[in-house]
Structures are given as C-alpha cells and as structure tokens.
Amino acid sequence: PVAMNAHDILEIAPGVYSILVDGSSFEARVSGDRIEIEGHYFPILAEDPRRWRGAVPAAAHEGRAVLTASMPGKVVRVLVELGQDVEAGQGVVILEAMKMQNELKSPRAGRVTSLNVKLNDSVVAGATLATIEQAG
C-alpha cells in the first residue's frame, strides 16, 4: 500500500484523475466498476464501513476489538480520547478517503485503551487506529 494525501489526486476531467505517487504522475480512468491505469485494469470494490453486516460476532461482546482503516485516507476528526468509555456503534475516528468522509465506529462497548492516530495523520489500509477493550 502507498500512503497518499488528498492533494496527490486531481480530477482533470469527469472520471479521469491525475495521481502523483513518489514523484511519478499517472492517469487513472474510472469507468463503471473498474479503473484503468497505463493499460492495466483494476476492479473497484465499493464498501461502506458504516453498513451493519448482520449479527454481531461474539468477539464484539468480550475481550479486545481493534479498529482498523479499511482504506488509505486522512484523519479529519478524532471523536474519542484515550481511556474514554464508548458504546458499541459510537464514532471513534473520521477518515477522508477519495473525497468522502467515513465515520469508523466502535464494534463493541468498552474503553479506548490505545489511540494510534491524531488529526491530519495519513493512514494506509489495515492500519490500527484504536483498540477498545472490555471495561472493568
């Protein structure tokens, strides 16, 4: 994964983007459910991390829950503090990715035992943002 800032991506025409990665410029064309970069096609998988995924797994009710970034982005708000008690579904961090803001919520009730990001941090997909542990 490559960490990028919002200023590294510029829409130059509808569905056409100029992307700067490590000093090199690439043109990306978005069409339907895929992106083309230099003749290579990549599928687009749009996933809304705010969407409920059915039944809550048993692990969400006990032990430790680790909140991770589902995509690369920039931290635009931190909604909790280290040591704060949170409820399941409570907002923890807001990430901006691809010009959209996504509120990442606590998967369980508990206490914030680690908070690994701060305002304006850039994160890569899979980065640990916070850890929530069962209070008590």
Side-chain angles (χ1 to χ4, degrees), residues 24-57:
S24 297
S25 178
F26 300 91
E27 185 175 284
R29 295 181 175 273
V30 178
S31 176
D33 63 349
R34 66 184 185 168
I35 297 174
E36 176 193 358
I37 301 174
E38 294 187 338
H40 300 279
Y41 293 91
F42 305 91
I44 297 173
L45 175 60
E47 187 174 300
D48 185 349
R50 297 170 294 186
R51 187 179 71 207
W52 289 100
R53 302 210 194 302
V56 178

Side-chain angles (χ1 to χ4, degrees), residues 31-108:
S31 176
D33 63 349
R34 66 184 185 168
I35 297 174
E36 176 193 358
I37 301 174
E38 294 187 338
H40 300 279
Y41 293 91
F42 305 91
I44 297 173
L45 175 60
E47 187 174 300
D48 185 349
R50 297 170 294 186
R51 187 179 71 207
W52 289 100
R53 302 210 194 302
V56 178
H61 297 291
E62 56 189 51
R64 173 184 305 173
V66 177
L67 188 64
T68 59
S70 59
M71 62 188 80
K74 179 181 176 182
V75 176
V76 294
R77 284 188 69 198
V78 178
L79 305 172
V80 299
E81 295 178 358
L82 186 63
Q84 179 178 336
D85 288 334
V86 295
E87 297 297 322
Q90 181 176 339
V92 176
V93 174
I94 298 179
L95 283 183
E96 183 174 82
M98 299 172 26
K99 298 183 182 181
M100 292 180 57
Q101 290 190 358
N102 299 292
E103 182 177 12
L104 303 177
K105 299 179 180 185
S106 176
R108 54 158 296 115

Side-chain angles (χ1 to χ4, degrees), residues 5-34:
N5 294 311
H7 64 269
D8 293 335
I9 302 172
L10 177 65
E11 186 172 19
I12 55 177
V16 181
Y17 298 85
S18 175
I19 302 172
L20 185 62
V21 178
D22 294 332
S24 297
S25 178
F26 300 91
E27 185 175 284
R29 295 181 175 273
V30 178
S31 176
D33 63 349
R34 66 184 185 168

